[in-house]
Amino acid sequence: MISEEVRRSVSALTKEGFGEFVIRYQTLVYTICFQLTRDAAAAEDLTQETFLSAYLHRESCPPDYERAWLGRIAANKARDYLQSAYQRHTLLPGDEGLPERSAGPGLEEQAVSRSEAAAIRVLINELREPYGQVCRLHLLEERSPEEIALALGRPVKTVYTQLARAKKLLREQLDRREQDGKFPP
């Protein structure tokens, strides 16, 4: 059982007290991470990251809400993992990557995928302004519309509108290239 000292405040935990805290909540944290990721290895890593983050930020834990606070950290870590470019297997500009040895795409499919990605990057870079800049920041640099609005000094609603129009222009260009046979379907 966790000692009364540990129960009172997570922020006052020593290394030994934090060990008790980890033992008490490790199953909860692992379960939350596994339920969100459906990957045992990732859930184990995220459990460790959760407790590390909890230890580093223990002073921000509200008294008597350790369980909910830890659960929120675990859920946020799992969501961040699921949204990461690595997890989505996104090939970012400049990434060469190594071919997967498992039941992934073959070398030919990877080459076609890379050439398609390169062609799309060219199309994005050729977009007229203000769409080109907004599209580059969002699609190539993976920035949120809110971050783009802040960086460019534009209203967020304007950025959303420009992104929608840029995507429409890209779709039209891709359709036109497919019809002309200049872009693989």
Side-chain angles (χ1 to χ4, degrees), residues 92-106:
L92 298 175
D95 284 353
E96 297 307 316
L98 296 174
E100 294 181 342
R101 297 187 193 282
S102 61

Side-chain angles (χ1 to χ4, degrees), residues 7 25 28 50 56 63 79 91 99 137 148 163 169 173 183:
R7 187 178 294 278
Y25 292 112
L28 168 74
T50 298
L56 294 174
R79 285 189 192 105
L91 193 64
L137 290 170
I148 295 169
L163 279 172
L169 289 170
Q173 288 180 352
F183 194 76

Side-chain angles (χ1 to χ4, degrees), residues 90-165:
T90 301
L91 193 64
L92 298 175
D95 284 353
E96 297 307 316
L98 296 174
E100 294 181 342
R101 297 187 193 282
S102 61
L107 291 176
E108 183 179 326
E109 292 167 344
Q110 286 180 357
V112 169
S113 175
R114 285 188 184 141
S115 69
E116 289 173 354
I120 291 171
R121 277 193 298 277
V122 168
L123 291 177
I124 290 171
N125 288 325
E126 290 175 353
L127 281 175
R128 70 179 188 265
E129 292 306 326
Y131 310 117
Q133 188 177 29
V134 171
C135 203
R136 275 188 298 279
L137 290 170
H138 185 66
L139 297 176
L140 298 179
E141 296 183 19
E142 296 186 354
R143 292 191 186 183
S144 70
E146 291 78 14
E147 291 173 325
I148 295 169
L150 186 62
L152 300 178
R154 298 178 187 164
V156 176
K157 186 75 174 163
T158 301
V159 171
Y160 275 104
T161 302
Q162 290 172 345
L163 279 172
R165 290 178 183 164

Side-chain angles (χ1 to χ4, degrees), residues 163-181:
L163 279 172
R165 290 178 183 164
K167 289 177 182 178
K168 182 180 177 191
L169 289 170
L170 280 174
R171 172 54 42 211
E172 290 170 358
Q173 288 180 352
L174 288 171
D175 290 344
R176 208 170 24 253
R177 283 186 176 226
E178 278 184 31
Q179 289 172 357
D180 295 342

Side-chain angles (χ1 to χ4, degrees), residues 2 10 20-37 42-44 46-48 50-51 54 61 64-78:
I2 200 163
V10 174
E20 289 181 48
F21 182 74
V22 169
I23 291 168
R24 178 168 184 168
Y25 292 112
Q26 68 186 358
T27 304
L28 168 74
V29 172
Y30 176 82
T31 302
I32 290 170
C33 294
F34 182 77
Q35 289 293 324
L36 290 170
T37 64
E44 289 174 7
L46 291 169
T47 299
Q48 288 181 349
T50 298
F51 282 112
C61 177
D64 300 325
Y65 290 97
E66 296 86 11
R67 181 182 170 97
W69 177 72
L70 202 53
R72 175 65 64 177
I73 293 172
N76 288 341
K77 291 285 182 189

